[in-house]
Amino acid sequence: KAGVTQTPRYLIKTRGQQVTLSCSPISGHRSVSWYQQTPGQGLQFLFEYFSETQRNKGNFPGRFSGRQFSNSRSEMNVSTLELGDSALYLCASSLGFTGGEKLFFGSGTQLSVL
Amino acid sequence: QKEVEQNSGPLSVPEGAIASLNCTYSDRVSQSFFWYRQYSGKSPELIMSIYSNGDKEDGRFTAQLNKASQYVSLLIRDSQPSDSATYLCAVVAGNQFYFGTGTSLTVIP
């Protein structure tokens, strides 16, 4: 069974640009969550999608947005990039029916903003 | 603000010893508890889940949960150098995951 797939693996952008990250969950999983990980802050929750609807949202500015498609694949978009957005962005999938099931993480996208 | 607290370490243990990792959480209605292992440059990997008070054993790993004390721990028996990683505690409350910042473990050969 294929795991969670994230693309691209690495990204280098400059301030002011926008970026789109992609995540394909484990087959059968309907929930996709996004996290930002930095050395000092640990894993910070961005948002969760279930059946194409945003079910939970963390405390990030509106520059961070996401969506989920009917096949459960999800994208995350960051507009007007700032230096502080440099981080590892992790996607995690779960079955999603109860909201507290096991999360399985993808390999992440390492974003560097110059 | 729901909080999950872990000692950041680093925690160093000799090979073959027991490594004890601790986590406290603030939300009394937390429902599910998980331990993830993260190697440097890699993504978190689920190693244990625990839902009720007591101990849960899986191979060399034992998770312990005490809801009254809002405390969850992970014991690694017969620690191996390959166990050297950062261990993340995760707590679910209100159907949302809350992660600690992790404890860095080094197993010395």
Side-chain angles (χ1 to χ4, degrees):
Chain A
K1 199 173 191 181
V4 180
T5 304
Q6 287 188 249
T7 57
R9 186 70 180 89
Y10 301 95
L11 267 177
I12 299 176
K13 293 287 186 179
T14 57
R15 280 181 299 173
Q17 288 186 308
Q18 76 167 18
V19 65
T20 300
L21 313 181
S22 179
C23 173
S24 293
I26 291 171
S27 177
H29 284 193
R30 293 171 61 183
S31 169
V32 173
S33 300
W34 289 90
Y35 291 85
Q36 181 194 68
Q37 188 175 36
T38 56
Q41 297 296 317
L43 275 167
Q44 301 293 312
F45 173 70
L46 283 152
F47 29 66
E48 182 212 2
Y49 286 87
F50 176 77
S51 292
E52 301 179 67
T53 300
Q54 187 179 85
R55 186 161 66 175
N56 280 306
K57 188 177 187 301
N59 296 322
F60 277 79
R63 300 185 297 106
F64 292 82
S65 63
R67 59 178 176 169
Q68 186 180 35
F69 302 96
S70 58
N71 62 358
S72 295
R73 189 178 72 85
S74 177
E75 288 182 346
M76 188 189 90
N77 184 274
V78 187
S79 63
T80 318
L81 284 167
E82 301 178 358
L83 295 179
D85 297 333
S86 295
L88 177 66
Y89 289 88
L90 291 161
C91 158
S93 79
S94 69
L95 290 169
F97 297 108
T98 64
E101 301 133 338
K102 298 171 185 177
L103 288 181
F104 296 90
F105 285 88
S107 299
T109 295
Q110 184 67 54
L111 172 64
S112 297
V113 182
L114 306 178
Chain B
Q1 178 75 18
K2 297 178 174 60
E3 292 186 352
V4 179
E5 300 285 344
Q6 293 183 256
N7 186 329
S8 62
L11 174 66
S12 294
V13 300
E15 184 175 354
I18 296 175
S20 178
L21 305 165
N22 304 315
C23 173
T24 59
Y25 59 94
S26 62
D27 192 331
R28 290 188 173 274
V29 297
S30 298
Q31 306 148 323
S32 310
F33 307 84
F34 302 90
W35 283 99
Y36 285 82
R37 177 177 61 199
Q38 187 172 24
Y39 292 113
S40 180
K42 302 293 185 182
S43 61
E45 170 193 14
L46 178 66
I47 54 172
M48 288 287 291
S49 60
I50 187 166
Y51 305 98
S52 54
N53 281 330
D55 295 0
K56 179 181 178 182
E57 188 174 315
D58 184 0
R60 296 187 296 111
F61 298 97
T62 299
Q64 300 174 316
L65 175 60
N66 184 325
K67 289 188 178 181
S69 300
Q70 296 174 240
Y71 176 93
V72 58
S73 65
L74 179 70
L75 301 178
I76 306 174
R77 291 182 301 282
D78 188 24
S79 295
Q80 301 297 308
S82 60
D83 295 326
S84 297
T86 296
Y87 289 80
L88 302 171
C89 171
V91 173
V92 178
N95 293 329
Q96 188 168 326
F97 274 73
Y98 297 88
F99 284 86
T101 53
T103 298
S104 174
L105 172 67
T106 300
V107 180
I108 303 167

